[in-house]
Amino acid sequence: MKKRKHIITSPVLFFSAAAVLLLLSTVGSTRAALTYYSDSYEMNVEVSSIGVSLLENGTIISNRNYTEQGWVSNHVGEDGEPRGILLEGRFQGDEKLVPGKQYEETLSVQNSGQIDSYVRVILYRSWADAAGRRDTRLNPELIHLDGLGETGNGWIVDESASTKERTVLYYQRPLAQGEETSLLCTGLRIDPEVLKKAETENGQTSYLYNGYRFFLEAEVDAVQTHNAEDAIKSAWGVDVSIGEDKSLHL
């Protein structure tokens, strides 16, 4: 009998985010069981579940895991999907976000499933007007996540898949159950370049970014470590190599 490879991946879920909030799309995979019968023996193979959580400043803000009771998420929106809000309560009353100032904003991922997994995070940055319409003319690179992609922090950037708006990162080591990654970023800043004068009309100065809101969106998913190279190719469409120490290389 030809041995089958069991590849567990995690479907990606999207949902909306409000201004100055982060979108989180957590993922998981359903529990599956393969039963094989023959005249001489019976074999049952049960595949455990995948689950991931996104942490902000050390606190889980959203997750999705599959258990014996089905899907479990700590925050669920009206649409029934997992939903987490970052920067919630950060600005009080009439407090304004100050361009150039660094705000504490640490992000990490935890394996909240039952099997070892490799994890990927895709971050999106964009600007939108007061009506929520995205404006691709404005520079998303002025939305800084300090420490993002730094050498030696355990995260590697897929440069071939990344753009100004999107950064694709893989955690190089597999995460054991309950293990947390190193910090994906260490702070949030809006570049003072947003204060640059755009033009002057009738003696009045206007600013290109005036009235705009910034958006950050995070998409998190995971793949099993078993047959990892094939699983990652199937789930994420990328070719990777896995070293003897189980480290992931693009």
Side-chain angles (χ1 to χ4, degrees):
M1 181 181 68
K2 183 179 179 180
K3 182 179 179 181
R4 295 183 179 180
K5 294 181 178 180
H6 302 286
I7 296 177
I8 312 174
T9 63
S10 42
V12 177
L13 304 173
F14 292 91
F15 55 83
S16 300
V20 198
L21 303 181
L22 282 175
L23 173 152
L24 167 67
S25 172
T26 55
V27 294
S29 83
T30 56
R31 176 181 293 272
L34 169 67
T35 303
Y36 174 82
Y37 295 92
S38 74
D39 294 335
S40 58
Y41 66 92
E42 174 181 313
M43 178 179 68
N44 291 283
V45 179
E46 186 178 65
V47 181
S48 298
S49 63
I50 283 180
V52 286
S53 301
L54 181 66
L55 290 82
E56 177 193 31
N57 300 330
T59 300
I60 294 175
I61 63 152
S62 192
N63 64 6
R64 199 180 194 196
N65 309 297
Y66 195 82
T67 69
E68 293 179 354
Q69 290 74 42
W71 290 111
V72 175
S73 180
N74 65 329
H75 291 89
V76 179
E78 293 180 359
D79 55 3
E81 301 297 353
R83 183 181 301 275
I85 300 177
L86 293 179
L87 306 179
E88 187 173 26
R90 178 66 52 83
F91 302 100
Q92 304 295 330
D94 295 330
E95 182 183 359
K96 304 296 184 181
L97 186 145
V98 179
K101 178 180 178 179
Q102 185 186 58
Y103 295 89
E104 181 184 8
E105 187 63 22
T106 64
L107 299 177
S108 59
V109 177
Q110 184 181 51
N111 179 354
S112 48
Q114 298 177 351
I115 60 174
D116 293 357
S117 304
Y118 290 97
V119 298
R120 177 184 70 170
V121 174
I122 304 178
L123 296 173
Y124 301 90
R125 296 173 290 178
S126 62
W127 295 93
D129 62 20
R133 295 184 294 263
R134 302 297 171 95
D135 192 333
T136 57
R137 298 173 302 167
L138 303 184
N139 187 2
E141 293 183 316
L142 298 185
I143 306 166
H144 291 287
L145 286 174
D146 294 330
L148 188 66
E150 283 189 354
T151 302
N153 70 351
W155 292 93
I156 52 177
V157 177
D158 186 347
E159 300 289 353
S160 65
S162 298
T163 65
K164 288 184 177 181
E165 296 81 11
R166 179 186 67 230
T167 305
V168 182
L169 304 103
Y170 300 89
Y171 197 60
Q172 200 163 18
R173 293 190 301 101
L175 292 180
Q177 180 180 1
E179 188 178 4
E180 184 180 342
T181 67
S182 58
L183 296 180
L184 183 71
C185 62
T186 57
L188 170 70
R189 288 183 300 116
I190 301 300
D191 197 294
E193 182 72 14
V194 299
L195 299 177
K196 184 178 180 180
K197 298 177 182 179
E199 58 185 16
T200 300
E201 292 182 0
N202 301 322
Q204 295 185 354
T205 300
S206 64
Y207 297 89
L208 186 62
Y209 291 81
N210 187 40
Y212 279 83
R213 298 174 291 173
F214 74 90
F215 282 77
L216 288 171
E217 302 172 345
E219 174 187 319
V220 185
D221 54 351
V223 167
Q224 68 182 52
T225 56
H226 182 60
N227 295 321
E229 293 178 357
D230 290 338
I232 290 171
K233 177 66 174 180
S234 175
W236 297 336
V238 297
D239 292 306
V240 303
S241 61
I242 304 298
E244 293 184 0
D245 60 354
K246 297 185 179 181
S247 60
L248 181 152
H249 303 273
L250 295 174

